[in-house]
Amino acid sequence: RFQDRVREAPAAYSAAPSALREVGPGTCIVFADGLRLDLGKRLLAALETAGFLVEESWRWVPLPPVTPTAKPAASPVADLVTGEGADGEQFQPSVRATGQPLTIDRFRKLLADRGFQDLRGDDTGDPTGRAWTEHGEIDQRGHEEGWKLARRVGEEVAGLVDRIRGLLDAGWREIHVVTDHGWLLVPGGLPKVDMPQYLVESRWTRCGTLKPGAKIDLQTAPWHWNPEVLIALAPGIGSFRAGTEYSHGSLSLQECVVPSLVVRAPQPRGPAATVESVQWRGL
């Protein structure tokens, strides 16, 4: 039904970068690849149990919901990225100013040019500024381990809580938790759907870039970064490759609706303590 609604009214599906919160000084963005909505709920509960204050919201992700397309759109440099002139191969946009493919190094340079620290590992940076950090391996583990990702969920959520706690303890005022897409997980494999290879420039498990002028019976949608590029979308929970247990890239609520969290440390109770006098007691 969701796919039918998007087919009938494509304009109703909006994943505009303007939906992201404004990022001011003292804010660190934590990017968690593949933080599906249900895992976001688990993270929210774990953070509140740990005593943190959390605001929750949600948003639509860009189409197709794959990392090269959706991660830049979830970042504070989304307006510096474009797909103009690109053919959508591998769903990778470009740097607007130069037209070069948006590699990880160029993405980090855009962040630095905009005044964001790039925090890696356990680095906590300067909490008076703004920062971007990436944490967790949900998406990577899903692609590598299939259904066994279910065994990893607890440790992934706990790892995010620890990272957020470390940043707040270091003095950051707010932590914005963002992600790029959700996913489908079916033990034994998603149902196989056929798509002729000669009709597409590139084919992933749940989506593909159509060649110019190609006609296909499957549902299509414009690529987020360049509406002139059409992408083919797998119907239902189908996969273009047999035996795929973990996948994302087409239209389902599990893939397209993602959480956004804003985390703050609890306010101290009572007035701050001050030292009124000091007396040496010879101890």
Side-chain angles (χ1 to χ4, degrees):
R1 184 175 298 176
F2 172 57
Q3 292 176 349
D4 288 343
R5 289 297 300 272
V6 175
R7 182 186 296 110
E8 294 164 2
Y13 187 101
S14 175
S18 59
L20 300 176
R21 289 180 68 114
E22 189 68 26
V23 178
T27 302
C28 179
I29 301 174
V30 175
F31 173 79
D33 196 349
L35 186 69
R36 200 169 71 168
L37 187 64
D38 55 339
L39 299 194
K41 293 286 188 180
R42 292 185 61 161
L43 177 60
L44 168 66
L47 289 167
E48 289 182 334
T49 299
F52 298 113
L53 306 176
V54 188
E55 294 180 18
E56 178 193 20
S57 59
W58 65 272
R59 62 183 180 85
W60 298 110
V61 304
L63 295 180
V66 294
T67 300
T69 286
K71 178 181 175 180
S75 78
V77 296
D79 60 315
L80 305 179
V81 178
T82 183
E84 185 177 351
D87 59 8
E89 185 177 0
Q90 304 305 316
F91 307 108
Q92 183 182 49
S94 306
V95 178
R96 183 180 295 276
T98 64
Q100 296 174 303
L102 186 67
T103 61
I104 183 62
D105 290 336
R106 292 182 182 123
F107 176 71
R108 289 169 174 164
K109 186 178 186 304
L110 291 180
L111 287 170
D113 291 346
R114 182 145 283 182
F116 281 82
Q117 306 164 59
D118 177 26
L119 307 183
R120 307 183 196 181
D122 295 328
D123 184 14
T124 55
D126 176 7
T128 63
R130 301 184 296 175
W132 168 279
T133 187
E134 302 179 17
H135 191 85
E137 298 178 339
I138 297 170
D139 190 48
Q140 179 180 336
R141 291 184 183 277
H143 286 297
E144 292 176 352
E145 303 179 19
W147 70 266
K148 295 179 182 178
L149 169 65
R151 296 174 173 174
R152 305 285 194 177
V153 165
E155 67 184 69
E156 289 291 332
V157 171
L160 282 166
V161 173
D162 287 343
R163 179 58 168 151
I164 292 168
R165 179 186 288 110
L167 291 165
L168 289 172
D169 287 347
W172 289 95
R173 181 176 55 85
E174 283 187 356
I175 307 299
H176 292 193
V177 182
V178 301
T179 188
D180 48 358
H181 57 74
W183 34 268
L184 299 175
L185 185 69
V186 178
L190 302 165
K192 175 71 165 58
V193 177
D194 292 326
M195 180 173 68
Q197 181 68 47
Y198 63 85
L199 293 177
V200 293
E201 298 284 1
S202 62
R203 184 179 67 176
W204 292 24
T205 51
R206 294 259 302 149
C207 57
T209 308
L210 285 183
K211 291 182 178 179
K215 303 295 183 181
I216 198 168
D217 293 333
L218 301 173
Q219 184 169 356
T220 62
W223 182 36
H224 174 78
W225 294 107
N226 184 351
E228 295 182 1
V229 176
L230 288 182
I231 53 177
L233 302 169
I237 60 168
S239 169
F240 296 132
R241 298 176 185 171
T244 301
E245 296 184 325
Y246 172 95
S247 185
H248 52 89
S250 188
L251 285 167
S252 72
L253 295 176
Q254 289 86 347
E255 296 164 277
C256 296
V257 182
V258 295
S260 297
L261 304 178
V262 177
V263 189
R264 302 180 182 89
Q267 296 297 319
R269 297 180 180 177
T274 59
V275 178
E276 295 183 347
S277 64
V278 178
Q279 185 179 16
W280 174 249
R281 303 293 295 177
L283 300 178

